[in-house]
Amino acid sequence: MSQSIEKSKSSLLTPSSIPQEAFDWYDEYAHGDIDRRTFLSRLGTLSITGLTLSTVAGALTPNYALAEQISFNDPDISASYVEFPAPNGHGTGRGYLVIPKNVNADNKAPAVLVAHENRGLNPYIEDVARRLAKAGFIAFAPDALFPLGGYPGSDDAGREMQKTMDSSKIEGDFMDAATLLKQHAFSSGKVGMVGFCFGGYLTNTLVAMMPDTIHAGAPYYGTPAKSNIDDIKAPLQIHFAELDKRVNDTWPEYEKALKANKVDYSAYIYPKTNHGFHNDSTARYDEKNAELAWQRTISFFDKTLRT
């Protein structure tokens, strides 16, 4: 089978055409519980009619050509890479800043910090920032891998790089990025945060650590903050994938803590979805639920950041 035909088949795969075990094993691989050899070996034990091992593996790993919903040169936005001081992190950070064209010092807008998964600032996360700017928010997506040279163009390599880093310094980088947004000349001073996977954890963490800076948090399939939950002031809109047992197992205790501290939160569990269902670059993507979750997120930020 030619490479082009193989790629075409991969792009047509849907979550329903891939056994659930494959998604579970990919999640283990993506979070460092098993190595790539083990992941591929397990996939090889599955019987999937008409599809090769490489086709299924390719469908589960990102194809970022599929992930652009808003073009980087969209006339309604202005995007650039900027460095910022990060005294609480690695000293200097770098991220992708996207500003609506109609926003300026005389027409300010709320801002949203975007936190990536455990592999650096990839094209999907950059597109999320552009989607937010298209919706009228200043969006900033830092790259945790900047101290090591930045996202390397490969999720596998990015994941290995991020594993070597001090997570507390990454948290510090994102905290300083939130401060930058609050103080930005075009910012209204209202700051929200959205994050995915590791970025969901970061969202939960910064909401707890920066109650006077983060005014709303929307974590997607992220684990809870490890401390300071009793300091949370901001409302939360929390998104879960029904089949994501690893993250969902952490929810009951987190919800108990949120209730005990009278945090304003809403939680949504999207049926028959896997961890990463919002990421439109892989077969884990669930278009209907991803669009519903995103509509909810934009409405949530409109409500909490524009008043």
Side-chain angles (χ1 to χ4, degrees), residues 219-247:
Y220 279 64
Y221 27 84
T223 52
K226 296 175 182 177
S227 62
N228 295 81
I229 292 175
D230 56 342
D231 290 334
I232 295 176
K233 296 179 183 178
L236 293 172
Q237 186 184 84
I238 307 171
H239 303 273
F240 295 104
E242 183 183 36
L243 304 176
D244 186 8
K245 185 176 185 300
R246 178 183 59 85
V247 170

Side-chain angles (χ1 to χ4, degrees), residues 45-295:
T45 66
L46 297 176
S47 176
I48 308 175
T49 304
L51 298 175
T52 67
L53 171 61
S54 60
T55 302
V56 178
L60 290 170
T61 52
N63 175 2
Y64 288 123
L66 303 175
E68 185 178 81
Q69 295 189 20
I70 306 296
S71 172
F72 71 92
N73 60 3
D74 186 289
D76 294 332
I77 63 175
S78 176
S80 61
Y81 295 94
V82 300
E83 294 187 11
F84 61 96
N88 292 299
H90 289 92
T92 302
R94 184 176 186 262
Y96 187 61
L97 180 67
V98 194
I99 301 176
K101 279 288 180 68
N102 66 342
V103 169
N104 51 53
D106 297 318
N107 183 38
K108 297 184 178 184
V112 178
L113 184 64
V114 185
H116 59 67
E117 309 123 314
N118 64 339
R119 61 211 70 173
L121 180 59
N122 58 42
Y124 155 64
I125 297 296
E126 292 184 344
D127 194 65
V128 168
R130 293 194 294 270
R131 296 175 208 175
L132 283 161
K134 188 75 172 178
F137 300 94
I138 298 170
F140 189 48
D143 186 357
L145 301 183
F146 174 67
L148 301 181
Y151 175 70
S154 159
D155 275 25
D156 283 349
R159 195 159 35 236
E160 290 303 311
M161 290 168 66
Q162 193 161 321
K163 281 167 57 176
T164 69
M165 301 180 73
D166 182 339
S167 61
S168 65
K169 286 191 175 183
I170 293 176
E171 292 168 11
D173 288 338
F174 276 79
M175 292 172 70
D176 290 324
T179 299
L180 176 148
L181 282 181
K182 186 176 179 66
Q183 298 174 350
H184 193 280
F186 296 174
S187 170
S188 68
K190 288 288 190 73
V191 179
M193 185 170 180
V194 62
F196 306 85
C197 184
F198 173 75
Y201 159 76
L202 281 180
T203 302
N204 285 321
T205 297
L206 264 66
V207 166
M209 297 293 291
M210 306 183 76
D212 297 323
T213 300
I214 306 294
H215 298 92
Y220 279 64
Y221 27 84
T223 52
K226 296 175 182 177
S227 62
N228 295 81
I229 292 175
D230 56 342
D231 290 334
I232 295 176
K233 296 179 183 178
L236 293 172
Q237 186 184 84
I238 307 171
H239 303 273
F240 295 104
E242 183 183 36
L243 304 176
D244 186 8
K245 185 176 185 300
R246 178 183 59 85
V247 170
N248 295 353
D249 283 350
T250 69
W251 173 233
E253 284 299 313
Y254 190 29
E255 183 176 36
K256 182 178 178 181
L258 295 177
K259 286 181 175 179
N261 291 287
K262 299 181 180 179
V263 175
D264 178 8
Y265 77 92
S266 56
Y268 299 97
I269 299 176
Y270 297 87
K272 299 181 181 179
T273 57
N274 282 281
H275 184 95
F277 73 87
H278 185 266
N279 186 332
D280 50 358
S281 69
T282 82
R284 296 180 298 167
Y285 177 57
D286 185 304
E287 182 176 6
K288 179 181 178 180
N289 283 300
E291 290 185 356
L292 174 59
W294 193 244
Q295 289 168 4

